[in-house]
Amino acid sequence: MSDYRKRADEISTGSLEGALAGLDGFDRHFETVLKPALEKLEADRPKAVKRFFMVAGGAAVLFILATGFILATQATEPQMVIFVGIGCIFIGYWGYRPLAALKTRTKMVVMHHLCDYLGMTYRLKPLNVSLTRLRELSLIPSYDESKLEDQITGAVDEVGFDLFEAKLIKISHDSKGRRRKSTVFRGLLAEFDFHKNFAGTTIITRDYSAFGNFFGQWGKQGERVALEDPTFESLFEVYATDQVEARYLLTPTFMERLCRLSGQVGRGNLQLAFHRGHLLLAIKKDKNSFEAGSVFANLADTKHIQQTIQELALIYDIVQKLKLDMDSRV
């Protein structure tokens, strides 16, 4: 078992002790390098927290007094309460800004140290990424605005990858012309090396039931591929430009691995495609990843990075559950 495999297996248990034990020597690295860096940030935290509560408390008192005055005297329109409330929210946000900055600094320290230790590279703002191919392959929905962050690149068991977090927003207007924003995708987008030779495109999307699949096939590249695995068919729909090649890629063993990975990330949250020698994935999540815990807790506590370690373990799980490190790539 490789060091990477050992680390991934123990990280995936969900136990911090197991995770740290699996990261050979990480406990020493944490105590001598990462913990001192976090302790410096922790020294700034009480002052930032105190400022936030003082400003937020003052804004709350101001709102109560102003609202009482407006309603009691009727000296102005009751709608002014709304404007007072908005103003108090901005005051509260101003008070939170030092905490927000501290949270970002903590995240940068944790992610850089963890990724460096694992032989990966972390960037808060992704470089050289494009959503065009993912959109063309129907792995993500159409969108008007995007927010990209937390790019992690590197290799696991000699399988290169590029992963980043995305929030995609659709803009619409109601009957009165008011602009509305809605999040149509939040999650992880990734590209992994897949050196099995293929020339076409095979797209694996979530199953939308018979009615949804009928309408969903329009605009997809290729034709629908019917496969023999009933469990796989209940989870995914497959479209390919080459039916024979799709079956060459989606062996019974590989389909079983995809079902297991789908169970880990949640039913309906995984979509992927084989395209130009790579495996592209879109993993939908209901919250941000790699946030390095709460600024309202001790930043130097090992529990602060537990969730981050578990989230990084997903990269190992993808490689190992799908066996992307195998020379046969099947």
Side-chain angles (χ1 to χ4, degrees):
M1 181 183 292
S2 68
D3 289 341
Y4 281 131
R5 179 62 180 270
K6 178 182 178 183
R7 292 174 182 178
D9 288 345
E10 295 183 342
I11 290 172
S12 299
T13 63
S15 165
L16 180 63
E17 292 75 15
L20 296 181
L23 293 169
D24 299 331
F26 181 78
D27 51 350
R28 179 163 44 86
H29 178 81
F30 177 82
E31 291 294 333
T32 59
V33 181
L34 180 52
K35 187 175 181 179
L38 292 176
E39 286 175 339
K40 290 181 179 179
L41 295 171
E42 172 61 22
D44 296 333
R45 189 181 67 85
K47 182 179 177 180
V49 171
K50 181 179 179 180
R51 167 179 163 157
F52 168 68
F53 282 116
M54 288 182 64
V55 173
V61 171
L62 176 62
F63 176 73
I64 293 171
L65 293 176
T67 300
F69 176 79
I70 292 171
L71 297 179
T73 63
Q74 297 183 348
T76 184
E77 294 294 328
Q79 288 82 353
M80 282 298 296
V81 172
I82 297 175
F83 294 102
V84 172
I86 293 174
C88 290
I89 290 173
F90 275 106
I91 293 174
Y93 174 73
W94 175 77
Y96 181 73
R97 286 181 64 184
L99 271 180
L102 183 62
K103 183 177 180 66
T104 299
R105 288 162 56 200
T106 303
K107 173 179 177 175
M108 293 284 289
V109 167
V110 169
M111 290 301 296
H112 276 300
H113 277 278
L114 284 175
C115 288
D116 285 348
Y117 189 84
L118 295 171
M120 303 174 183
T121 300
Y122 171 77
R123 297 183 183 89
L124 180 63
K125 299 298 181 183
L127 294 177
N128 304 319
V129 299
S130 173
L131 302 180
T132 302
R133 184 163 49 167
L134 292 160
R135 178 69 196 108
E136 291 174 347
L137 295 172
S138 303
L139 297 185
I140 56 175
S142 60
Y143 63 94
D144 299 304
E145 294 181 357
S146 63
K147 179 183 178 182
L148 310 180
E149 61 180 8
D150 297 331
Q151 182 183 34
I152 302 172
T153 57
V156 172
D157 291 337
E158 300 182 355
V159 176
F161 70 89
D162 187 343
L163 175 146
F164 58 94
E165 188 173 17
K167 179 181 179 181
L168 307 180
I169 299 168
K170 190 77 174 176
I171 299 175
S172 60
H173 296 82
D174 62 17
S175 58
K176 296 183 178 180
R178 291 174 296 195
R179 196 166 180 259
R180 298 181 181 276
K181 292 185 177 183
S182 57
T183 300
V184 294
F185 177 87
R186 182 200 302 273
L188 301 175
L189 303 175
E191 181 175 308
F192 287 82
D193 291 341
F194 195 85
H195 296 161
K196 190 174 184 179
N197 295 325
F198 59 93
T201 297
T202 299
I203 302 170
I204 305 164
T205 67
R206 56 172 290 192
D207 182 78
Y208 289 93
S209 76
F211 183 79
N213 293 333
F214 175 78
F215 289 99
Q217 64 183 317
W218 306 111
K220 293 244 182 3
Q221 294 187 31
E223 299 179 350
R224 186 181 181 282
V225 181
L227 297 164
E228 294 73 26
D229 188 324
T231 302
F232 183 86
E233 282 284 301
S234 69
L235 295 173
F236 300 105
E237 287 288 310
V238 179
Y239 300 86
T241 56
D242 186 324
Q243 296 262 334
V244 174
E245 186 176 81
R247 289 179 169 80
Y248 164 69
L249 293 168
L250 296 174
T251 63
T253 302
F254 194 83
M255 285 190 287
E256 181 181 344
R257 295 170 189 154
L258 279 180
C259 291
R260 289 201 299 267
L261 182 60
S262 175
Q264 178 181 342
V265 301
R267 183 186 178 103
N269 290 333
L270 174 66
Q271 300 196 126
L272 59 155
F274 297 96
H275 183 69
R276 297 180 183 175
H278 293 88
L279 177 64
L280 290 81
L281 293 93
I283 302 174
K284 191 174 182 181
K285 303 190 73 177
D286 58 3
K287 60 181 180 180
N288 288 344
S289 300
F290 314 120
E291 289 305 303
S294 170
V295 289
F296 294 100
N298 188 332
L299 301 181
D301 193 327
T302 54
K303 294 180 180 179
H304 199 73
I305 63 171
Q306 180 176 9
Q307 184 62 36
T308 302
I309 292 174
Q310 292 171 347
E311 289 168 340
L312 286 172
L314 177 62
I315 298 172
Y316 293 87
D317 287 336
I318 291 171
V319 172
Q320 291 157 0
K321 278 190 168 61
L322 300 185
K323 301 294 182 184
L324 300 184
D325 58 318
M326 293 178 63
D327 292 336
S328 63
R329 297 301 198 275
V330 296

